Amino acid sequence: MTAPLRAAPGPARARRRDRRVYLRSHPLLFALLAATRGRAVRRIGRTVLVHEADAYRRVLTGLPLDRTAAGTTGGAARAALNAAGDHDAGVLFDQEGDGHRAGRRGLAQGLGAAGVEELRAVWRPLLAGRLEPLAKGGEVDLVALARELSGTVVCALLGSGASPAAVAAAASELAAASVRGELPGPRRPGAHAASARATRRLRQLLGEGDDALSAMVAVAAVNTTVAALPRAVAWCADAGLWDQAADERLLLPLVDELLRVTAPSPLLPRVAAADGVVVGCPVRSGDRVVLVARHAVDAHTKDPDARRPAAPDVARLVFGAGPHTCPGARLARLQLADVLSALSVHRPVVTRAVVDRGAALPSWRKLVVRSSEVVR
């Protein structure tokens, strides 16, 4: 458990707290990335590290990628499904061409403008109820809230009658056992068997007719929400950004800035499917390509500020680029906007922050806040 930071509110205070989610969960990996970020692209053996925005974008839009290879997001998803006995499933992350387009069309209705508005009608009452303790001097754990919100949204999106808490727990467990095990760094013993168990559990929860795509949508939605939302709130509280959150004109620019600086999926592991060149660096077929989203969007150097935001084409890179851009971007932006707007009335401060050392993405295990507006 960590005590509240004592320094005056400001970006330096917020950045010190946020660095803990990296340094206490993936210390060796992020030390390596920090040591190599001086160049836009750097090769270490058969691994190519990509740190700069243009190079990052070129890999995703111009370099042929093997989306089923081991060590990639698609490969991890397919391995989890194979381990659970499903050898024929495509999961959007590992698809190209017609299969990928069909998968995205299947999500378009639920994640389009009208679909997201329907989901807002589900999460807004839940959000209002869970934040009520703040008005009475109580505390709220933003991680628990993010889990409930994400599980509820996933169940509504997929038409599942499962427990939102159970879905969120299973999706988190599956990500920790599969995706995190595929990232650079030490591999977890027994990850293969744990991934198979978590995959079966999640698919059983979602229903008899559940397909592989639904399970992977749940994994992506839950884990990115649980990673991003509490970290964004902590940034707002520690950096003193509640004035911007309370301003309707600045709210969405602030959301984009917070998603940029938190970079919920800080790394995108890929594998080249053909030879190519990225910003002067030759890439060979089969090379592992690690796209460092955190560095590409300047999350490590440029503090969030809705009045002086990063260029939109840079900020949007946290959702990827090209045909595989995250289809849930609209949902993520509006959900965080609603959370920040609701919290801005209370201008909460962080009272307790505990890093989740086992999560697939850099995350808090607890992020407890209380209102600074309540007279004590």
Side-chain angles (χ1 to χ4, degrees):
M1 187 171 71
T2 59
L5 298 183
R6 300 298 183 187
R13 172 178 172 175
R15 190 169 291 281
R16 281 198 301 274
R17 190 193 299 278
D18 196 61
R19 279 175 59 84
R20 293 176 185 167
V21 296
Y22 295 108
L23 298 179
R24 297 188 182 182
S25 60
H26 302 79
L28 297 178
L29 171 61
F30 284 93
L32 170 66
L33 295 179
T36 61
R37 69 187 177 207
R39 291 166 60 177
V41 183
R42 185 184 294 265
R43 172 181 290 280
I44 301 178
R46 292 299 304 272
T47 297
V48 178
L49 300 171
V50 179
H51 296 278
E52 186 266 339
D54 285 343
Y56 181 101
R57 191 179 294 108
R58 289 179 192 178
V59 170
L60 289 176
T61 59
L63 182 69
L65 299 172
D66 180 353
R67 297 189 179 276
T68 64
T72 67
T73 305
R78 184 172 286 271
L81 291 164
N82 287 347
D86 192 340
H87 300 282
D88 301 315
V91 293
L92 196 67
F93 304 122
D94 66 349
Q95 294 171 320
E96 293 284 4
D98 291 342
H100 181 251
R101 284 190 289 272
R104 290 185 72 94
R105 280 197 300 271
L107 291 174
Q109 183 174 356
L111 294 176
V116 170
E117 286 305 314
E118 291 181 6
L119 292 173
R120 290 179 97 178
V122 173
W123 79 58
R124 280 177 157 174
L126 174 62
L127 177 62
R130 296 299 180 266
L131 295 183
E132 280 185 0
L134 295 178
K136 303 173 184 177
E139 295 185 328
V140 172
D141 180 0
L142 268 298
V143 176
L145 175 61
R147 287 187 182 279
E148 187 174 11
L149 282 175
S150 61
T152 299
V153 166
V154 164
C155 289
L157 178 64
L158 300 178
S160 171
S163 159
V167 168
S172 296
E173 182 183 353
L174 174 52
S178 57
V179 177
R180 189 172 186 266
E182 296 293 336
L183 292 173
R187 302 297 173 90
R188 285 186 165 187
H192 184 76
S195 179
R197 289 193 300 271
T199 301
R200 286 192 291 267
R201 184 178 302 112
L202 179 58
R203 296 189 68 177
Q204 288 167 359
L205 282 168
L206 292 176
E208 292 290 334
D210 167 62
D211 58 18
L213 177 58
S214 295
M216 292 304 111
V217 166
V219 169
V222 168
N223 285 278
T224 53
T225 301
V226 173
L229 194 152
R231 289 178 58 202
V233 171
W235 257 101
C236 241
D238 288 339
L241 298 176
W242 292 121
D243 284 343
Q244 295 186 11
D247 188 328
E248 291 184 0
R249 298 167 301 173
L250 296 178
L251 178 58
L252 283 177
L254 177 63
V255 164
D256 290 336
E257 280 290 274
L258 290 170
L259 289 172
R260 176 186 65 79
V261 81
T262 57
S265 297
L267 302 177
L268 300 182
R270 300 290 185 262
V271 170
D275 293 349
V277 177
V278 179
V279 191
C281 178
V283 178
R284 301 191 297 274
S285 178
D287 279 351
R288 187 182 184 89
V289 182
V290 178
L291 300 165
V292 189
R294 174 174 165 79
H295 295 165
V297 299
D298 292 326
H300 60 304
T301 58
K302 187 178 187 302
D303 297 325
D305 186 346
R307 294 186 175 89
R308 289 174 289 276
D313 63 331
V314 172
R316 292 191 194 111
L317 288 178
V318 296
F319 294 110
H324 282 264
T325 299
C326 174
R330 180 194 299 272
L331 187 154
R333 293 178 73 240
L334 291 179
Q335 187 172 69
L336 181 55
D338 284 348
V339 170
L340 294 179
S341 179
L343 285 171
S344 67
V345 177
H346 306 284
R347 298 176 180 264
V349 294
V350 177
T351 62
R352 188 162 34 134
V354 182
V355 173
D356 190 338
R357 297 173 184 265
L361 301 174
S363 308
W364 295 109
R365 183 163 60 84
K366 282 188 177 295
L367 196 289
V368 181
V369 300
R370 64 168 173 80
S371 175
S372 65
E373 298 295 293
V374 176
V375 178
R376 293 179 174 273

